Amino acid sequence: FQKHEFFVDMTCEGCSNAVTRVLHRLGGESFDIDLPNKKVCIDSEHNIDTLLETLKKTGKNASYLGEKSAQ
């Protein structure tokens, strides 16, 4: 799986819950939400467009930051 990093304009716990909800609906995703830095890191076989569309379903401003290299 590729690790992708996205910016999502999250301001509170409710925002991160919305992100969790849409990603769970997509299925099979493993992800980390970094609320203070407004970042979502997703391990996925889905393409970037699909992931971005999914994140935008939260109604939040979202953008792709790039690939995250495996630590």
Side-chain angles (χ1 to χ4, degrees):
F1 284 3
Q2 275 313 72
K3 251 192 181 323
H4 299 295
E5 202 168 38
F6 293 87
F7 165 83
V8 182
D9 196 13
M10 302 174 287
T11 50
C12 63
E13 206 61 38
C15 300
S16 65
N17 289 342
V19 169
T20 301
R21 211 164 38 245
V22 295
L23 287 174
H24 275 307
R25 208 170 294 148
L26 192 56
E29 305 308 297
S30 130
F31 56 90
D32 293 312
I33 295 174
D34 179 350
L35 189 55
N37 294 311
K38 303 185 179 193
K39 285 181 183 171
V40 180
C41 187
I42 310 172
D43 269 340
S44 179
E45 64 206 8
H46 289 287
N47 65 33
I48 293 153
D49 293 338
T50 304
L51 295 171
L52 200 49
E53 282 310 303
T54 302
L55 289 170
K56 285 182 174 168
K57 285 180 188 159
T58 58
K60 303 282 166 213
N61 184 8
S63 57
Y64 182 55
L65 295 173
E67 238 168 72
K68 204 167 164 66
S69 52
Q71 300 291 305

